[in-house]
């Protein structure tokens, strides 16, 4: 296996790990709150996983994977924008 292939696999597995962590964090947080909750960390793990997997898809030249991860990247970024915009609004009103 070449160095490039090893790097590509590392990027891909890092992305998969980050996606796993988002579900793990959501599960733990929901258990703690005793209801279904999506913490902000979920969106950060989603964004990080999406960036890694999009990079992996581009390196693999897999158009289906590229399109799928590109849309996720936009959604995760937009959700974080809304979260931070709401927090800023709340701080300004306090």
């Amino acid at each position: 296996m070449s160095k490039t292939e090893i790097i590509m696999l590392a990027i891909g597995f890092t992305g998969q790990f980050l996606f796993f962590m988002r579900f793990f964090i959501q599960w733990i947080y929901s258990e703690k709150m005793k209801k279904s909750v999506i913490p902000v960390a979920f969106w950060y793990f989603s964004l990080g996983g999406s960036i890694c997997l999009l990079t992996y898809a581009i390196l693999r030249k897999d158009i289906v994977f590229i399109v799928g991860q590109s849309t996720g990247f936009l959604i995760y970024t937009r959700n974080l924008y809304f979260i931070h915009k709401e927090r800023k609004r709340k701080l300004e009103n306090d």
Side-chain angles (χ1 to χ4, degrees):
M1 197 177 300
S2 73
K3 184 176 181 178
T4 301
E5 290 171 321
I6 292 170
I7 291 170
M8 285 175 49
L9 285 174
I11 292 169
F13 278 117
T14 299
Q16 290 293 29
F17 173 75
L18 291 172
F19 269 110
F20 163 77
M21 286 303 297
R22 74 188 193 147
F23 290 118
F24 182 74
I25 292 293
Q26 193 272 331
W27 170 56
I28 297 298
Y29 197 79
S30 291
E31 288 293 328
K32 180 180 177 183
M33 302 299 288
K34 303 291 188 218
K35 64 180 183 175
S36 182
V37 180
I38 299 177
V40 176
F42 177 91
W43 298 112
Y44 281 107
F45 278 114
S46 298
L47 185 60
S50 180
I51 290 168
C52 289
L53 291 175
L54 178 58
T55 301
Y56 179 77
I58 291 168
L59 292 171
R60 301 274 311 190
K61 298 180 175 94
D62 185 330
I63 189 65
V64 173
F65 205 6
I66 291 169
V67 170
Q69 291 305 316
S70 296
T71 55
F73 174 82
L74 295 173
I75 292 166
Y76 308 141
T77 302
R78 188 75 171 151
N79 278 312
L80 285 166
Y81 168 77
F82 287 140
I83 289 166
H84 289 289
K85 182 178 173 184
E86 178 67 17
R87 285 182 176 174
K88 183 179 178 185
R89 187 186 65 75
K90 284 182 180 179
L91 286 174
E92 289 171 354
N93 290 334
D94 288 340

